[in-house]
Amino acid sequence: MASSSAMVDPKIFEQLQTKIDEDAEVRDQIKAIIQTLERQSRNAQSILSRAHSIPAANLQPVLEAAEAAIKDEVESITKLATTTTGSPYYKYNGIWTRDVQNVISTILLCGWLGGISSQGTPDAGRLLTIEEIGQVLNGKLPPQSAMLLLMFPVPVNLKDQDAFHITIEEYLLSLINLIDELARLAINSVTLGDYQRPLQISQFVKDLHAGFQILNLKNDVLRRRSDSIKYSVKKVEDIVYDLSLRNLVPRPAATTT
Amino acid sequence: MPGVKRNRDGAEKSKSKDGDAPTGPFMPMFEVFRGELDEHHDRRERIIKASRDITAASKKCIFSLQRVRALNNDIPPKIASEVMEKSTAMASQFAAIAPDLAGINAWRYQRQISGGIQEYMEAISFEHYLRNQKLITHEEASKLLPEGVELTGDDYVLGIFDLVGELMRFAITTMATTGSLPGSKVGEGSAEERDILMDLRLLRTSFEALDTTSCGGTGLGKDVEKKMEVMKICVEKVETAVYGMIIRGRERPKGWIPDLADDRAPVESY
């Protein structure tokens, strides 16, 4: 068999094995970070969940706690970005995309409730844009390590740059999470005696729904998940209907169409 | 539901005082997203289509190459020209989608192009083997892919797995038609012969030594298990055929073909 070594250059399989092992190592590193991130997201979500049982006026402590939890999340995201600097973004992004969506969802919800306001004036009902999400994720970084690049909507110079970023799919999926959460909040606001917030939520959710409707979705995860929006819209509309039927709507002018 | 006026994007026209419902506060943002998503879907579909065409052309190349009878030799001109024709077609397919696979998008659409690249790998590694009786290296194979199209380690390995099936078919057909196992002299002036069965066994041992447990269920780990089984069956088929040729070969009329009842489907399946 000595002669048969001519068929396969032994280096071929050595190199393959090296490559496989290197990939596995990167994946292990990512998974370790994800594990921490998962716990941090759950923490942030549970803090934000308190908003369902606290009147809007007394939310400040919850928002502050949520912001602190988000800070932890951002730290993990930063780690993730640094760890994967050398690897193609889309090679591994399947591992973390769900967790990144959860992080974005917490930031979106916190922002909607009035948190994360760099301008100082906390106003509820705000939608953080994908760029603002990027800034939140970026803000805690030293300026030179602008690792968390946003691919959109500054595409020209970034589409060719292979770096960690938030994809629009991730942002859109997180918006759907936000909508689900707001539908629940609408119900619980009524329980808390807040009849104004359901109207605000109704308008917000409808605006987002209108946005989703202009997207040409293929039969992918985004399509399937976005199907749930209409149920959320209906849920909130039913609440508004119940309120207006009983003349509980604070300002008649703000009723829905 | 008659009488409901809709805008061109399908949203119901609002009859309320603010008749500009579709131009809500988030519309500009969603319009940007729509543009990006449309581009993404278009790219994706172009790549899927090219991948299919490349797969089909590669299969035709392999069919042509299966008519070759001698190892470590030039390909007969007629077959070579057929293969060349397909290769040119594939090169232009690849070139057409190269911009779609540039930079960050190489891995984004990896799942879509992977099938075509694996089949292409199978074809070029088979041709390489017929010409040189050697396994093509990753570097050599990468060079045969057009500029801008990346050959991942996974696609390389999976293509080589499929190569074993082609070598099996080549070995058995050659045995049946010429009555001997294809092989060639090890080197100039050397008397030692190296036949295809030795090569297949070496490939098998190399594959078996490859540790892919770390890959888990992702990409390589998922496919390797299945392909490993098929690869082993292929090698065993050649072993059985050689055994049959040696032990009973002389009793058989020339042109007899070993029983291949069930071996086509699992090898070419995709």
Side-chain angles (χ1 to χ4, degrees), chain B residues 199-225:
Chain B
D199 294 344
L200 278 170
R201 283 179 177 151
L202 180 63
L203 260 183
R204 176 179 171 154
T205 46
S206 307
F207 274 131
E208 283 174 337
L210 204 62
D211 178 14
T212 56
T213 45
S214 62
C215 299
T218 60
L220 195 57
K222 201 174 53 192
D223 297 329
V224 158
E225 214 171 305

Side-chain angles (χ1 to χ4, degrees), chain A residues 73-146:
Chain A
E73 289 180 315
V74 169
E75 226 166 78
S76 290
I77 297 272
T78 312
K79 236 187 249 168
L80 193 59
T82 331
T83 308
T84 55
T85 314
S87 319
Y89 172 76
Y90 281 106
K91 186 171 181 180
Y92 301 111
N93 81 320
I95 308 178
W96 65 66
T97 182
R98 189 160 266 281
D99 298 281
V100 166
Q101 285 163 33
N102 287 339
V103 172
I104 302 174
S105 303
T106 55
I107 300 174
L108 282 171
L109 181 58
C110 188
W112 192 90
L113 291 169
I116 314 178
S117 54
S118 47
Q119 283 77 28
T121 47
D123 49 343
R126 209 157 40 101
L127 175 70
L128 293 175
T129 63
I130 187 168
E131 293 83 7
E132 283 167 325
I133 298 286
Q135 281 160 16
V136 172
L137 294 178
N138 243 332
K140 316 298 185 272
L141 286 171
Q144 74 275 15
S145 58

